[in-house]
Each structure stands twice: as C-alpha cells, then as structure tokens.
Amino acid sequence: MLRFLSVRLGTMLLTMLCLTFVVFYLVNLEPNLRKLSISQTNMRASDEMIERWLVYNGYREPFLERYGQWLGVWEKPPSRDVETGEPKPRFSFCDEASEPVFSGVIQGDLGCSTAFRTTVADRLLPALGHTGVLMFWVMLTMVPSALLIGVLAGMREGSKLDRSLSVLSITSTATPEYVSGIVFAVIFASWLGILNGSAATATRDGVTFYNFALPVMTMSIYGMGYIARMTRASMAEVMVSQYIRTARLKGLNFRTVVLKHALRNALIAPFTVIMLQFPWLLTGVVIVEVMFRYQGFGWLLVEAAGNNDIDLLLSCSIVSVLVVLLTQLISDVGYAYLNPRIRVR
C-alpha cells in the first residue's frame, strides 16, 4: 500500500505540474495580456502605454522564468519605476517584496487579484469555504436519497417500483442544472414565494433554509439520478448471484438477505461513483452559483475569467486539479479496502 501511495502521489505531482504549465501558457497569451493591461490602465491606452505596463509588471520576461517565478523555484525580481528605476511593487494593493525573493505557489504566495484588488488568498479561501458548505449539504441530501432509490429499485428488478424509480432517475440525470434551477426558481420563488431565488444573502447573513434550499435542491436532484442508476444496476446484479440464492434456500427472510448479504457488496461500485461526484460538484457549482448569485468558488472562477485575472485563474486551476486527483486517489484506496478481491501490490 505504501508503494502504491508513493507512486500515485508522484504521478499526481507530475500531472499537476503539466496541467498548471498548460494553463499558465493559455492565460498568458498575448490577447489576454493586452486585455489585462487595458483593464488596469485605460480603455483608450495606446500600444506604447500597454507595452510599458506589461514590461513594468514583468509580463515581458522569458516565459519559463515567469513560470518558475510563479511556482516559487525561480527568484522573482521586483518591478521598477519606469522613470526613476527604483524598486516598486507591481500592484499597490498587494504587499509585494521590493527585493529579489523566492515567492510563489510553493511558498504559499498565490499572487495578486487584479479584478478584486487584493491578494488571491484573501478571495480564494473564503470562496472555497462557501462552496464547501454548499457541497456538504448537497452530498448530505443527494447520497442517502440516491442510495435508497437505487437499492429499492434493484431489490426487485423489473417490478413496477423498479420501472418507476428508474424513470425518475433518468429524468433527473437528463435535466441539466440550468434548466431545473430555473424551473425551481419559478415555482418556489416566483409563484409560491416560499424560497428565496437568490442565495447571495447566504454568504453575508448565514445559511438558512429560505436562502439555501434552491441551489442545494438543484444540484442534488441532478446528481442523484446517476448514483441511483449505478446502485440499482449493482444491486440487481448482486440479487441474482449464487450466494444470495443459497441464502434464500437456507430459509433466510428477504429482509435479512438484503441487509446482511446483498447491501454491502452492492455498495462497492457506487462508492467509486460517489467519490467522483466531488470533482463534478466543483465544476457544477459554476452554473448554480452564478444562477443563484452565491459567491463561492464557481462564482469566483467566472469573475476571474471575465476580468482576465491571471493569478486568480491559475489558483482556481490548482484547486480544481487537486480535488480531481485527490478524489481519484481516495476512490482507488477505498475500493481496494471495500472489495476483498482487490489487492494493492
């Protein structure tokens, strides 16, 4: 197991390095740099002003050097005043060093957010906390409901209950968040008026059922169908296996067979699917958070992309890649422990 974890962690680091290099290259393309320069200077800035701003802020340095500086493995030189040549921070709203220093992602320095005029950490960490609360309530609502639906449907394959729950699961999965979110907002916020159509107050005044139910319900129902279908298929396969037939022939009642013998084995496959919901939640919140104006990670990512906030976009990419890789690692390790036929060598 230790060898397996060591290899996987090494692969994760290499994958993160490659992906961050690609993202760093894309966000630093010339059109993006010009757009950033214009947003920080003047909409009518001349080409000379744009070029001078890019040179002053270090965006004209060699690409690999800039990538190394962002990682923190290359010494980052201070910016200098165009007229006097004196060391001067790039942005007045960030506490940057006025002398050469190793300061990057490895050292915990995520850079400056040009859109929000503060450090990236000051915006990213609270947004991740807000999204973490949303993901917690979505998983708490979605997973038990989906497992219950899948187990009930798979216990008696082909029955009316199975067909009804299967149709319900397929319908929920086939309806994207931006459709169900609008439908729920119209019904529960506009017509009935029992829920708030905006979750903006949740980040300011705290989470309540009134301002938080709609985004949780929108994401839960969409993800519920996929888990339920996988659980149903796994449960149906287990119920026709040889050891279940043997248990029934020995006189065990149906409830005991399901709870003590079938359920544990049937939940092995859904475990992997449940773990893979975390990366989906991190990307799915983009639509839901923007729709309901909930200022979490997804909302922050859209704002960073819309304003070409390079450092913030890079930090969001790190978080996304890290969540995907960690959930895959946990899924593989958990599957090996749950399934006695799997052995990590």
Side-chain angles (χ1 to χ4, degrees), residues 97-112:
S98 57
E99 67 278 346
V101 65
F102 287 93
S103 179
V105 175
I106 297 177
Q107 291 78 19
D109 181 10
L110 300 179
C112 297

Side-chain angles (χ1 to χ4, degrees), residues 109-234:
D109 181 10
L110 300 179
C112 297
S113 170
T114 54
F116 296 99
R117 304 187 68 80
T118 184
T119 61
V120 170
D122 288 342
R123 295 296 306 187
L124 182 61
L125 296 181
L128 286 173
H130 297 321
T131 297
V133 173
L134 177 60
M135 292 173 66
F136 171 78
W137 286 108
V138 169
M139 293 296 287
L140 192 64
T141 305
M142 176 179 65
V143 173
S145 303
L147 292 178
L148 179 61
I149 292 174
V151 170
L152 291 176
M155 283 193 309
R156 299 186 183 277
E157 186 179 10
S159 63
K160 291 183 179 180
L161 179 63
D162 175 29
R163 289 195 293 267
S164 301
L165 294 177
S166 296
V167 170
L168 179 64
S169 301
I170 294 173
T171 303
S172 66
T173 305
T175 307
E177 305 101 311
Y178 55 84
V179 174
S180 59
I182 294 175
V183 172
F184 292 151
V186 170
I187 295 175
F188 295 103
S190 298
W191 290 356
L192 301 179
I194 58 177
L195 297 176
N196 191 353
S198 172
T201 58
T203 57
R204 184 180 66 250
D205 303 329
V207 173
T208 63
F209 179 80
Y210 178 68
N211 62 20
F212 214 56
L214 280 181
V216 171
M217 184 166 49
T218 300
M219 296 190 67
S220 299
I221 291 180
Y222 178 74
M224 189 184 301
Y226 184 53
I227 300 177
R229 291 289 296 166
M230 290 296 296
T231 306
R232 182 259 178 200
S234 180

Side-chain angles (χ1 to χ4, degrees), residues 86-107:
E86 295 293 326
K88 184 179 179 182
R90 291 185 307 160
F91 306 109
S92 59
F93 45 83
C94 282
D95 186 18
E96 295 184 320
S98 57
E99 67 278 346
V101 65
F102 287 93
S103 179
V105 175
I106 297 177
Q107 291 78 19

Side-chain angles (χ1 to χ4, degrees), residues 176-183 185 197-199 218 285-294 299:
E177 305 101 311
Y178 55 84
V179 174
S180 59
I182 294 175
V183 172
S198 172
T218 300
V285 294
V286 174
I287 298 174
V288 174
E289 288 184 356
V290 172
M291 180 183 300
F292 294 105
R293 293 181 289 176
Y294 183 70
W299 177 86

